[in-house]
Amino acid sequence: MRKFLVALLIALFFIVTISKADNLSPESVEGARTVSTETAKLLFDKGYFFLDVRGLSDYRMGHIPGAYHLSVKSDFDEQKLSVIVRKDQPVVMYCNGTSCLGSSIAIEKAIGWGWTNIFYYREGIKDWNSKGYSIFAIRP
């Protein structure tokens, strides 16, 4: 019985480890430039467009100041993106961090639609906030 429990625990460990790895965002997205939090802050200070692709409730709870919002799950499409930024203009896309796939999915779509100057901020809002950079929240 004890050997069975040890084997079961080992199997569960591997299942949990593999499932967590599957939920991590990719380290890079072909056609985009991956940037660190420090580089994202430099781009922010230079006035680059930022696009938050999280859900609206997350966006309202706190986002990078001036960031536009298009939820990748509900309203992210070529027409709405083109209202925010031209296909050749630089844009930084982000979501909740390395455990969020939203920004990589949005970037892949945008590249498919012809956007050519995308920065992939993989570390996202969680790392931005942990570094003490400003966050803007919308209060009801």
Side-chain angles (χ1 to χ4, degrees), residues 60-75:
R60 288 181 179 208
M61 286 183 358
H63 57 272
I64 295 173
Y68 292 90
H69 176 256
L70 282 179
S71 172
V72 73
K73 291 183 179 178
S74 62
D75 59 359

Side-chain angles (χ1 to χ4, degrees), residues 5 13 20 23 28 33 44 62 64 66 68 79 83 93 99 108 111 124 126:
L5 288 176
F13 171 78
K20 283 187 177 184
N23 290 331
S28 62
R33 288 166 280 186
F44 173 81
I64 295 173
Y68 292 90
Q79 181 181 1
V83 169
M93 293 189 192
S99 63
E108 287 175 354
I111 289 169
K126 286 184 181 179

Side-chain angles (χ1 to χ4, degrees), residues 20-91:
K20 283 187 177 184
D22 289 344
N23 290 331
L24 288 179
S25 62
E27 291 186 23
S28 62
V29 177
E30 190 173 335
R33 288 166 280 186
T34 304
V35 296
S36 66
T37 299
E38 292 73 20
T39 302
K41 178 66 164 83
L42 291 172
L43 298 175
F44 173 81
D45 291 342
K46 289 183 176 187
Y48 281 46
F49 289 99
F50 274 68
L51 182 63
D52 187 320
V53 298
R54 301 174 301 151
L56 185 57
S57 62
D58 284 343
Y59 177 79
R60 288 181 179 208
M61 286 183 358
H63 57 272
I64 295 173
Y68 292 90
H69 176 256
L70 282 179
S71 172
V72 73
K73 291 183 179 178
S74 62
D75 59 359
F76 190 86
D77 65 32
E78 184 176 4
Q79 181 181 1
K80 290 176 183 164
L81 183 57
S82 67
V83 169
I84 294 170
V85 61
R86 291 189 324 262
K87 290 186 178 188
D88 62 338
Q89 283 182 302
V91 59

